[in-house]
Amino acid sequence: MTEGVQTTNTAVVADGSSGHLVDAVLHGGPADLPHETRAQRVHREEKKVKIPHYGGHEHFERDGATLDGRTEVVFRWIGRTRVAE
Protein backbone atom coordinates (compact mmCIF):
# COMPACT_ATOMS: atom_id res chain seq x y z
CA MET A 1 0.00 0.00 0.00
CA THR A 2 1.20 3.47 -0.77
CA GLU A 3 0.24 6.46 1.30
CA GLY A 4 -0.72 9.78 -0.24
CA VAL A 5 0.01 13.10 1.35
CA GLN A 6 -1.34 16.43 0.22
CA THR A 7 1.01 19.03 -1.21
CA THR A 8 -0.48 21.99 -3.08
CA ASN A 9 -3.56 20.06 -4.18
CA THR A 10 -1.52 17.21 -5.62
CA ALA A 11 -1.26 14.10 -3.50
CA VAL A 12 2.13 12.48 -4.00
CA VAL A 13 2.74 8.82 -3.28
CA ALA A 14 5.37 7.97 -0.67
CA ASP A 15 8.03 7.16 -3.30
CA GLY A 16 7.76 10.73 -4.60
CA SER A 17 6.42 9.86 -8.03
CA SER A 18 3.75 11.98 -9.64
CA GLY A 19 3.27 10.14 -12.96
CA HIS A 20 -0.08 8.72 -14.06
CA LEU A 21 -2.14 11.24 -12.11
CA VAL A 22 -5.94 11.41 -12.15
CA ASP A 23 -8.39 13.96 -10.78
CA ALA A 24 -9.90 13.05 -7.42
CA VAL A 25 -12.52 14.56 -5.15
CA LEU A 26 -12.64 14.08 -1.36
CA HIS A 27 -16.08 13.53 0.22
CA GLY A 28 -16.98 13.73 3.89
CA GLY A 29 -14.76 14.72 6.78
CA PRO A 30 -14.72 18.04 8.58
CA ALA A 31 -17.05 20.74 7.32
CA ASP A 32 -14.21 23.28 7.56
CA LEU A 33 -11.93 21.37 5.17
CA PRO A 34 -11.36 23.95 2.40
CA HIS A 35 -13.16 23.37 -0.88
CA GLU A 36 -9.90 23.71 -2.83
CA THR A 37 -8.36 20.93 -0.69
CA ARG A 38 -11.15 18.57 -1.72
CA ALA A 39 -9.95 18.62 -5.35
CA GLN A 40 -6.75 16.59 -5.66
CA ARG A 41 -4.52 14.99 -8.26
CA VAL A 42 -3.53 11.48 -7.18
CA HIS A 43 -1.70 8.52 -8.66
CA ARG A 44 -4.20 6.43 -10.61
CA GLU A 45 -3.62 3.38 -8.39
CA GLU A 46 -3.80 5.27 -5.09
CA LYS A 47 -6.18 3.69 -2.55
CA LYS A 48 -5.82 6.15 0.36
CA VAL A 49 -5.11 9.86 0.76
CA LYS A 50 -3.98 11.62 3.94
CA ILE A 51 -4.58 15.38 4.28
CA PRO A 52 -2.90 17.48 7.01
CA HIS A 53 -5.57 19.49 8.85
CA TYR A 54 -5.47 21.37 12.19
CA GLY A 55 -2.83 19.32 14.03
CA GLY A 56 -3.90 16.00 12.60
CA HIS A 57 -4.56 14.14 9.38
CA GLU A 58 -7.84 13.45 7.65
CA HIS A 59 -7.89 10.02 6.00
CA PHE A 60 -9.81 9.24 2.83
CA GLU A 61 -10.21 5.90 1.07
CA ARG A 62 -10.96 5.31 -2.60
CA ASP A 63 -14.63 4.65 -3.26
CA GLY A 64 -14.47 3.71 -6.91
CA ALA A 65 -17.55 5.82 -7.70
CA THR A 66 -17.58 8.75 -10.07
CA LEU A 67 -19.69 11.90 -9.88
CA ASP A 68 -22.41 12.31 -12.50
CA GLY A 69 -20.45 10.47 -15.19
CA ARG A 70 -17.33 12.60 -14.70
CA THR A 71 -13.90 10.98 -14.68
CA GLU A 72 -12.90 12.09 -11.19
CA VAL A 73 -12.13 9.38 -8.66
CA VAL A 74 -14.06 9.66 -5.38
CA PHE A 75 -12.34 9.24 -2.00
CA ARG A 76 -14.57 8.97 1.11
CA TRP A 77 -13.53 10.15 4.57
CA ILE A 78 -12.73 7.23 6.91
CA GLY A 79 -11.32 8.99 9.97
CA ARG A 80 -8.88 11.36 11.60
CA THR A 81 -5.60 10.83 13.40
CA ARG A 82 -3.70 13.31 15.56
CA VAL A 83 -0.07 14.17 14.97
CA ALA A 84 2.14 12.57 17.62
CA GLU A 85 4.45 14.91 19.51
Side-chain angles (χ1 to χ4, degrees):
M1 175 180 83
T2 60
E3 184 175 282
V5 293
Q6 187 254 355
T7 56
T8 63
N9 292 354
T10 299
V12 179
V13 290
D15 68 4
S17 66
S18 60
H20 306 290
L21 296 178
V22 295
D23 292 325
V25 61
L26 308 180
H27 277 213
D32 63 345
L33 191 65
H35 177 72
E36 53 276 354
T37 300
R38 293 183 181 275
Q40 298 286 318
R41 298 274 297 156
V42 300
H43 189 272
R44 67 181 176 181
E45 296 177 13
E46 196 65 51
K47 302 293 183 214
K48 294 185 178 185
V49 176
K50 179 171 66 172
I51 304 294
H53 185 66
Y54 288 119
H57 292 99
E58 304 301 332
H59 297 265
F60 295 83
E61 191 169 75
R62 190 179 191 133
D63 184 316
T66 59
L67 297 174
D68 301 324
R70 294 173 18 198
T71 59
E72 296 167 325
V73 177
V74 176
F75 284 78
R76 302 256 179 227
W77 184 77
I78 58 171
R80 174 180 172 79
T81 56
R82 295 171 106 180
V83 175
E85 292 186 28

